[in-house]
Amino acid sequence: MTLKLIVANKAYSSWSLRPWILLAHFKIPFEEVVIPMDRPETRAAMLEYAPTAKCPSLHDGKIAVWESLAIIEYVAEAYRGKAIWPKGKAARAHARSLSSEMHAGFTALRQACPTNFRRKVKAVPLSDEVRADVARIEAAFAHARATFGKAGPFLFGRFSAADAMFAPVVNRFHVYDIPVGKPTRAYMEAIMALPAWKAWIADAEAEPWRVEKYEAV
């Protein structure tokens, strides 16, 4: 049975991108359902798939999984032949730690630079708290690349779940023109060159829905 992934608007849903880009990159077949955000029917529509009334959620027959990181773990377990997580024990532990840090943290960056995948590149003022988030992310990228990333351009060499978790950060850094070092920019370019990334952006740009609170930033 084909997996079914429920996502919110591709223009704005960072959480939805994470499992979507993972499935697309690893060529795991799935059916997609897009539910527009901030509409009168949104909550009821999302409740049909997840008890949180949020996206994303993944459905594998009668099994339902929600929250991006839980979905990624489910996919990794279901498709053990795919290198969803890095192969080495130490690398996997590090990748999971970074992914959990991303899942739970960087609130200042999230709030100051809301996701908008079709936003024109334009800088905004950054608080000290946002700059601290950016510095931590750059340090995390550099450490992962130096320690585990020699085999390729991604955090652990080859594209993995950790890159899927940080993919929305790449968009934030890019569209808000956040100053980053050359190694971070090279990593961003590698993510943005992925066919799965380009497909998501194309879909986001084609969406008819607009949410003013995101478009106004």
Side-chain angles (χ1 to χ4, degrees), residues 60-136:
D60 185 5
K62 294 182 179 180
I63 299 173
V65 190
W66 56 95
E67 290 288 350
S68 295
L69 195 50
I71 294 169
I72 287 171
E73 290 287 11
Y74 182 84
V75 172
E77 186 178 83
Y79 293 86
R80 295 184 184 275
K82 306 284 189 180
I84 305 297
W85 292 106
K87 290 184 178 180
K89 183 177 181 180
R92 281 199 310 276
H94 198 86
R96 282 190 164 103
S97 295
L98 285 184
S99 297
S100 294
E101 183 180 358
M102 179 66 254
H103 191 274
F106 307 117
T107 304
L109 176 63
R110 296 179 198 272
Q111 292 179 347
C113 304
T115 298
N116 186 342
F117 287 98
R118 59 179 172 226
R119 185 181 192 272
K120 302 301 181 185
V121 175
K122 183 181 178 181
V124 295
L126 303 178
S127 68
D128 289 343
E129 291 78 12
V130 174
R131 292 183 186 278
D133 278 355
V134 173
R136 168 56 196 151

Side-chain angles (χ1 to χ4, degrees), residues 188-216:
M188 292 166 59
E189 295 296 337
I191 292 289
M192 292 189 291
L194 290 170
W197 173 278
K198 292 179 179 180
W200 177 275
I201 298 298
D203 288 350
E205 290 176 347
E207 286 179 342
W209 311 294
R210 294 291 186 274
V211 179
E212 183 56 31
K213 66 182 179 182
Y214 299 127
E215 297 292 337

